[in-house]
Amino acid sequence: MKLNSVDISKTASASSIVFEALRKAIIEGDVKEGEPLRQDEIARLFNTSRIPVREAISRLEEQGLVKTQRYKGAVVSGLSATEAEEIFDFRALIEPEVIRRAVPLMSQDTLDTARTSWAAFSASADPMSWGDLNRDFHSTLYRASGLQYHLDIIDNAMDRIDRYLRAQLVMSNGMARANEEHIAIWEACVAGNAAQAAELTRLHISGARESLIQNINSLR
């Protein structure tokens, strides 16, 4: 199992540390779909007992990143085309509304930070960084809305599809299109055009949805 081991034997928040490490490994594809999460092995890697490992896996299961299978125990969840479509349809409903609410509240610092994120995304040749930079760009703009419950739900949805999106950007040569769409969304925000930013965000998500659905079986 490809995980960075950490000695957390004397750490009070052992469960949270294991959870974040496993979550990151799953999202970035270091732990593959269908791979079992062996509690004893993980506990040894982190120099802890099975209790925080079990708690961490339960949290991952609540987020849909892990499922329990008979005879196998906890394994990394896959994503069917139907599930992917549902997640994207949900995102296409909620994210345009969030950015619409955010635009009037955006500061110059917010816009500058978002510009830095899309510039880094555009310049990066490392596929492993694309997911984080993409999320940084969108979340920077969304945070201005102050809608924390919405933001938490969006994060959870992104966790489910992130590892597939990274691979899809590589296979479909989607970087150029994504970058153009990021710039257009950012420019609408700079102009204070909330309705345009919302519509561009909806189209951005819908385009990514179609590309991912076409390629999802090749991404496993």
Side-chain angles (χ1 to χ4, degrees):
M1 182 180 297
K2 187 177 179 182
L3 283 173
N4 294 323
S5 61
V6 179
D7 186 344
I8 58 172
S9 57
K10 298 180 180 179
T11 303
S13 58
S15 175
S16 294
I17 292 174
V18 175
F19 168 76
E20 290 297 341
L22 288 172
R23 174 179 170 273
K24 183 174 186 294
I26 292 170
I27 290 171
E28 295 184 354
D30 290 333
V31 185
K32 305 298 183 182
E33 176 183 330
E35 185 170 343
L37 299 178
R38 298 183 176 88
Q39 294 185 26
D40 288 340
E41 180 182 352
I42 296 169
R44 283 196 302 272
L45 283 170
F46 290 90
N47 193 26
T48 188
S49 71
R50 292 179 60 180
I51 295 173
V53 175
R54 188 161 54 245
E55 292 172 350
I57 289 175
S58 293
R59 290 177 63 187
L60 291 167
E61 192 165 10
E62 289 173 1
Q63 293 192 354
L65 293 174
V66 168
K67 61 184 176 182
T68 300
Q69 292 185 345
R70 191 175 184 182
Y71 305 124
K72 282 189 175 182
V75 301
V76 176
S77 297
L79 195 66
S80 69
T82 300
E83 290 169 323
E85 286 182 305
E86 183 179 354
I87 291 170
F88 272 97
D89 288 346
F90 168 78
R91 290 184 59 212
L93 287 172
I94 191 171
E95 292 182 41
E97 176 61 18
V98 170
I99 200 168
R100 185 187 69 78
R101 300 270 293 273
V103 167
L105 304 174
M106 288 179 186
S107 65
Q108 188 59 48
D109 182 61
T110 292
L111 295 169
D112 290 345
T113 301
R115 180 188 177 93
T116 298
S117 293
W118 69 246
F121 177 84
S122 175
S124 176
D126 176 17
M128 291 307 298
S129 72
W130 294 347
D132 289 338
L133 292 171
N134 177 64
R135 289 179 74 162
D136 286 346
F137 170 74
H138 289 288
S139 63
T140 296
L141 297 175
Y142 296 165
R143 275 197 299 271
S145 70
L147 300 172
Q148 192 57 53
Y149 182 76
H150 291 64
L151 299 178
D152 290 343
I153 294 174
I154 291 169
D155 274 342
N156 182 253
M158 288 300 297
D159 284 351
R160 293 292 312 279
I161 61 173
D162 203 321
R163 63 190 185 273
Y164 299 96
L165 281 175
R166 292 169 191 257
Q168 174 260 325
L169 284 171
V170 175
M171 293 183 65
S172 66
N173 296 315
M175 279 291 290
R177 175 178 174 177
N179 188 53
E180 290 176 0
E181 292 172 352
H182 286 169
I183 294 171
I185 291 168
W186 181 82
E187 288 177 343
C189 293
V190 171
N193 192 331
Q196 185 181 30
E199 177 60 11
L200 290 171
T201 297
R202 186 188 67 79
L203 292 173
H204 178 60
I205 294 168
S206 296
R209 172 191 183 276
E210 294 307 312
S211 180
L212 181 61
I213 297 308
Q214 290 173 8
N215 291 283
I216 193 166
N217 290 329
S218 302
L219 303 178
R220 300 187 183 283

